[in-house]
Amino acid sequence: MHARLLSAPSHASSSSLPFASGRPCRSSWRPWNSRGTTSPPPPPPLSLRASASMQPVPPEGQNDLPVHGVTNTVVGVLGGGQLGKMLCQAASQMGVKMVILDPLENCPASSLCHEHVVGSFNDGDTVSGFAKRCGVLTVEIEHVDAVTLAKLEKQGIDCEPKASTIMIIQDKYRQKTHFSNFGIPLPDFMEVDTLSSIEKAGEMFGYPLMVKSKRLAYDGRGNAVAHDEKELSSVVASLGGFEHGLYVERWTSFVKELSVIVARSRDGSTICYPVVETIHKDNICHVVEAPAEVPDKIKKLATNVAEKAIKSLEGAGVFAVELFLTQDDQVLLNEVAPRPHNSGHHTIEACYTSQYEQHLRAILGLPLGDPSMKAPAAIMYNILGEDEGEAGFTLAHQLIERALGIPGASVHWYAKPEMRKQRKMGHITIVGPSKFSVKARLDKLLQRDVYDPEKVKPRAAIIMGSDSDLPVMKDAAVILKKFNIPFELTVVSAHRTPERMYHYALSAKERGLEVIIAGAGGAAHLPGMVASLTSVPVIGVPIMTSSLHGTDSLLSIVQASVLNLFIISKQNSIMCHT
């Protein structure tokens, strides 16, 4: 076991450091040498910022010191990767002191944390010594020494989330069993430990069959697919054999992968961020779209599943719940991360409270922040290594250069020293007025906006609240075809999918639409609602109903249109007076 302390550089002289004993304190443990003896080598150099303290700071309310700023509590983080770095960025804004335990001297968080202890977060003695520096201990990676965390909790160390939660999440099979016991909808799964048991699973679940490692499985690692019984032996071998710990899942035919970031406070209350869609390639997240383009009932169902899952765990913090949306509108839990997550990176620019600030608020016992979006739409693109070494850095730099010229784009570079293929090196978040807008900007960033003469942009749109209106609205399509006017035809409901209607209307002009033909049945206000959000002319088409024969539709259209004109005239009047 070896650990040593590094700190961010300080402009203060060592003589000004406020240590109670008049000299800096060193790590309380002794590093082992290669022979396993405890005789220490010369102590490593140690420098601290003028404001640093080697002593743990008790949680609020347990001392008589006045609170200067947000909190006096020092936050310790096991892991110093990109998530740790972004936690430190949020902490810096709040004035919260962060100490990091990570084995790499130049880990991403090392340049921003208050103190960096170089050591393994899987070594019990190192974790125990590190914990004594902190008022509260948290994680940015779940693959830590959870057994030691449980012992520390018994000694009074404040760990958030709790060691019991980390233990559940670390073992994917145990995680599935836990959530199944709490009635969370999941794909069918079973443990396998022999060739006969996995063959039996194949007979039960059919093929393709998803085979997974219980532990250390993430970003596509530890997962493999057997397409038939003949592939079982090779798939098991590729995952390290049955002794590595395996289980299988029934193959899930999903239409979308969704994610919900859930924040849980110390008192157990929870809040959820808007549901997002994650787009994976080779089992690695490439793109996150916020908000997800799914019906409101699916958003509500996904949020309910996510919230129920997190309420079954212990401890405070931010959790990511990854979900499958199936063809028959089921929402199934895939897995949970007990920390900030890739699917929440966009919250830094797109939400009132980022997932990183929220995690700090939660573990420190501060009020949870507003998770809602402050931008209508956002898209996050992971910068993954496209090549090894310098060639990969060159390609990433070219992408970043293009991003700096994209409106609404923010670049996050993790400063990892080594470039590898498919390694997460950074991300780019684009915010904008509509989903169409941010997608178009991403296409430009990725140079996918090349002119295609085969692809003609629609000049007109035919929209309706339900496909039951199609028998009437199809006549509009016939006329547009007769005059060779390119058009799009889609369902946009003002009351079932108001968010989609809002973004659709807001982006109409930007997408090149010159007219919108909107059908309304009953007391629907679709034409008027759309007209209130765009300068593109909107033609309202009343759909005849069985009760009032379309009169109610006509009156609803006129009512919404008159109201829209009234609002516009008031706005013009105000502008004239100012």
Side-chain angles (χ1 to χ4, degrees):
M1 182 272 296
H2 175 75
R4 57 197 179 92
L5 179 68
L6 300 177
S7 276
S10 170
H11 296 293
S13 65
S14 59
S15 61
S16 64
L17 295 174
F19 295 103
S21 63
R23 60 183 179 82
C25 303
R26 296 198 181 275
S27 167
S28 60
W29 59 83
R30 290 174 147 187
W32 291 80
N33 63 26
S34 59
R35 296 181 181 178
T37 63
T38 58
S39 55
L46 177 65
S47 63
L48 296 174
R49 292 184 182 177
S51 59
S53 170
M54 299 292 291
Q55 300 301 321
V57 179
E60 311 296 10
Q62 295 184 20
N63 61 47
D64 297 326
L65 295 175
V67 176
H68 292 175
V70 174
T71 180
N72 288 339
T73 303
V74 174
V75 175
V77 185
L78 301 183
Q82 63 263 27
L83 302 178
K85 179 176 184 174
M86 287 179 273
L87 272 173
C88 288
Q89 288 171 335
S92 176
Q93 183 175 337
M94 300 169 71
V96 176
K97 293 178 183 178
M98 302 286 283
V99 293
I100 300 291
L101 176 64
D102 193 275
L104 301 178
E105 283 193 16
N106 53 356
C107 65
S110 62
S111 62
L112 293 172
C113 64
H114 198 68
E115 297 173 10
H116 173 205
V117 175
V118 178
S120 173
F121 41 68
N122 278 308
D123 181 273
D125 291 339
T126 303
V127 172
S128 296
F130 176 77
K132 294 173 184 176
R133 306 175 181 279
C134 317
V136 62
L137 188 62
T138 190
V139 300
E140 66 104 55
I141 182 171
E142 54 267 38
H143 307 298
V144 299
D145 185 353
V147 174
T148 295
L149 293 183
K151 293 178 182 177
L152 290 171
E153 285 180 357
K154 292 179 180 178
Q155 297 170 18
I157 300 295
D158 187 7
C159 300
E160 302 293 343
K162 298 304 178 187
S164 61
T165 293
I166 304 297
M167 289 177 179
I168 290 168
I169 300 301
Q170 283 180 338
D171 186 316
K172 296 290 181 69
Y173 177 73
R174 182 176 175 181
Q175 182 184 149
K176 299 283 184 184
T177 303
H178 170 86
F179 290 129
S180 177
N181 291 339
F182 279 86
I184 310 295
L186 301 158
D188 294 331
F189 67 98
M190 67 179 289
E191 185 178 26
V192 291
D193 52 10
T194 62
L195 186 59
S196 61
S197 66
I198 198 170
E199 287 174 349
K200 183 180 179 181
E203 293 172 5
M204 290 175 59
F205 297 159
Y207 294 92
L209 183 67
M210 178 61 77
V211 187
K212 295 186 174 184
S213 298
K214 291 181 179 181
R215 302 178 72 87
L216 299 175
Y218 61 98
D219 285 348
R221 303 179 186 91
N223 298 339
V225 179
H227 295 90
D228 53 44
E229 186 175 329
K230 295 177 182 177
E231 292 186 2
L232 289 176
S233 295
S234 59
V235 164
V236 169
S238 71
L239 295 175
F242 291 109
E243 61 273 16
H244 188 67
L246 303 178
Y247 73 102
V248 298
E249 283 184 9
R250 185 189 297 276
W251 185 264
T252 303
S253 296
F254 57 84
V255 293
K256 287 180 186 287
E257 290 184 86
L258 306 176
S259 180
V260 181
I261 301 294
V262 183
R264 177 172 173 164
S265 65
R266 282 177 172 269
D267 64 7
S269 60
T270 56
I271 57 172
C272 298
Y273 283 77
V275 182
V276 301
E277 179 181 356
T278 59
I279 299 166
H280 291 70
K281 183 179 178 183
D282 298 326
N283 294 312
I284 299 176
C285 179
H286 272 231
V287 173
V288 175
E289 296 184 5
E293 290 185 306
V294 294
D296 285 347
K297 69 174 184 178
I298 298 298
K299 291 179 181 178
K300 185 176 181 180
L301 181 57
T303 300
N304 288 343
V305 170
E307 202 163 22
K308 185 177 180 181
I310 300 312
K311 283 182 178 294
S312 74
L313 300 171
E314 291 185 304
V318 156
F319 301 78
V321 183
E322 297 183 87
L323 305 158
F324 293 129
L325 173 62
T326 66
Q327 292 176 335
D328 57 350
D329 285 349
Q330 287 188 74
V331 172
L332 305 179
L333 187 146
N334 178 20
E335 60 186 43
V336 169
R339 52 170 171 78
H341 190 259
N342 199 162
S343 62
H345 287 347
H346 68 283
T347 61
I348 298 173
E349 287 81 22
C351 296
Y352 288 103
T353 308
S354 78
Q355 66 166 341
Y356 301 100
E357 178 183 335
Q358 197 76 279
H359 187 74
L360 293 171
R361 284 173 175 249
I363 65 174
L364 289 167
L366 301 171
L368 297 181
D370 182 0
S372 59
M373 293 183 67
K374 60 184 178 183
I379 198 162
M380 189 284 307
Y381 179 79
N382 269 334
I383 304 175
L384 301 175
E386 296 182 46
D387 206 338
E388 304 288 331
E390 285 303 318
F393 280 117
T394 299
L395 291 171
H397 178 68
Q398 291 171 353
L399 180 69
I400 290 170
E401 278 193 319
R402 292 197 299 272
L404 294 175
I406 301 292
S410 298
V411 175
H412 295 260
W413 183 248
Y414 305 149
K416 294 181 179 178
E418 184 181 350
M419 171 69 74
R420 296 193 299 268
K421 279 188 176 181
Q422 296 297 87
R423 190 182 193 191
K424 293 176 180 177
M425 303 300 294
H427 74 268
I428 297 165
T429 299
I430 303 172
V431 297
S434 66
K435 189 62 71 68
F436 174 84
S437 171
V438 294
K439 284 183 176 180
R441 292 173 189 177
L442 180 62
D443 286 340
K444 184 177 181 181
L445 171 66
L446 302 179
Q447 299 180 322
R448 296 192 300 215
D449 58 339
V450 181
Y451 173 70
D452 182 2
E454 301 282 324
K455 189 176 179 182
V456 181
K457 288 186 177 180
R459 296 176 60 194
I462 303 171
I463 63 174
M464 63 208 82
S466 168
D467 53 12
S468 61
D469 300 334
L470 188 59
V472 173
M473 299 305 293
K474 68 180 182 182
D475 291 337
V478 171
I479 294 170
L480 291 172
K481 283 181 181 177
K482 185 177 180 179
F483 288 95
N484 294 318
I485 298 173
F487 66 92
E488 62 184 21
L489 188 150
T490 187
V491 173
V492 180
S493 174
H495 66 278
R496 282 191 298 274
T497 56
E499 203 170 68
R500 169 168 158 73
M501 181 214 68
Y502 177 82
H503 295 309
Y504 186 91
L506 211 61
S507 65
K509 187 174 183 180
E510 187 180 4
R511 290 185 287 122
L513 292 178
E514 298 174 48
V515 65
I516 298 174
I517 305 168
H525 291 79
L526 179 63
M529 294 287 285
V530 171
S532 70
L533 294 166
T534 181
S535 59
V536 174
V538 178
I539 301 172
V541 179
I543 307 294
M544 188 172 71
T545 57
S546 57
S547 53
L548 296 176
H549 305 289
T551 305
D552 50 350
S553 305
L554 175 61
L555 293 175
S556 295
I557 292 171
V558 173
Q559 181 188 47
S561 299
V562 170
L563 180 60
N564 186 38
L565 288 171
F566 175 75
I567 293 170
I568 292 171
S569 66
K570 281 290 185 183
Q571 289 175 336
N572 290 338
S573 175
I574 292 170
M575 289 176 66
C576 288
H577 283 88
T578 54

